[in-house]
Amino acid sequence: MDIFVKYLGVVITGGLICVIAQILIDKTKLTSARILVLFVVSGVFLSAFGVYEKIKDFGHCGATVPLVGFGHALYQGVVKAIDEMGFRGIFTGGLPDVAGGIVMAVFFGVIASLVSKPKSKKP
């Protein structure tokens, strides 16, 4: 029963993040890129105020996989780097903690570009 509750938390958390994104897409004139940036920055701010840890404890990978989780990972990397390197950590700290995700995004982007056929967008 305990595993069911964890899965339910994952589905609820990830689903709510997707619902928020869909509402922003449908009801605002924000571009996809701005919504993505908004999600990353939201993850940073929620982490800074201590809210995202509670969300992550409930939602596990439903909270860490979406872009809000990417912002949280950036924040944690910067905090750790500031503790180790001081002020300089602000500029370099986020990258080591998210480097794997960035590399995989580039890798799968290259694979997708090799196997897909480009199409022009029609207005």
Side-chain angles (χ1 to χ4, degrees):
M1 187 66 172
D2 185 43
I3 194 79
F4 176 75
V5 174
K6 282 186 179 181
Y7 283 144
L8 188 61
V10 168
V11 170
I12 288 171
T13 306
L16 282 174
I17 292 171
C18 291
V19 165
I20 292 168
Q22 193 63 50
I23 289 170
L24 289 172
I25 291 168
D26 291 343
K27 302 294 182 186
T28 67
K29 294 185 180 202
L30 293 173
T31 63
S32 298
R34 288 184 178 176
I35 293 171
L36 295 175
V37 170
L38 178 69
F39 271 43
V40 173
V41 172
S42 296
V44 171
F45 278 111
L46 289 172
S47 298
F49 292 116
V51 176
Y52 203 78
E53 278 298 322
K54 293 174 184 160
I55 295 170
K56 191 174 84 169
D57 290 342
F58 174 75
H60 305 286
C61 64
T64 57
V65 170
L67 278 173
V68 186
F70 184 77
H72 174 69
L74 281 172
Y75 173 81
Q76 286 190 326
V78 168
V79 168
K80 185 171 64 174
I82 288 172
D83 290 342
E84 294 171 1
M85 295 186 278
F87 183 75
R88 191 174 49 142
I90 294 172
F91 304 105
T92 61
L95 293 178
D97 286 358
V98 296
I102 293 171
V103 168
M104 293 312 292
V106 171
F107 174 75
F108 287 116
V110 169
I111 297 298
S113 72
L114 294 174
V115 299
S116 62
K117 185 177 178 184
K119 298 177 185 173
S120 62
K121 239 180 167 179
K122 295 186 180 183

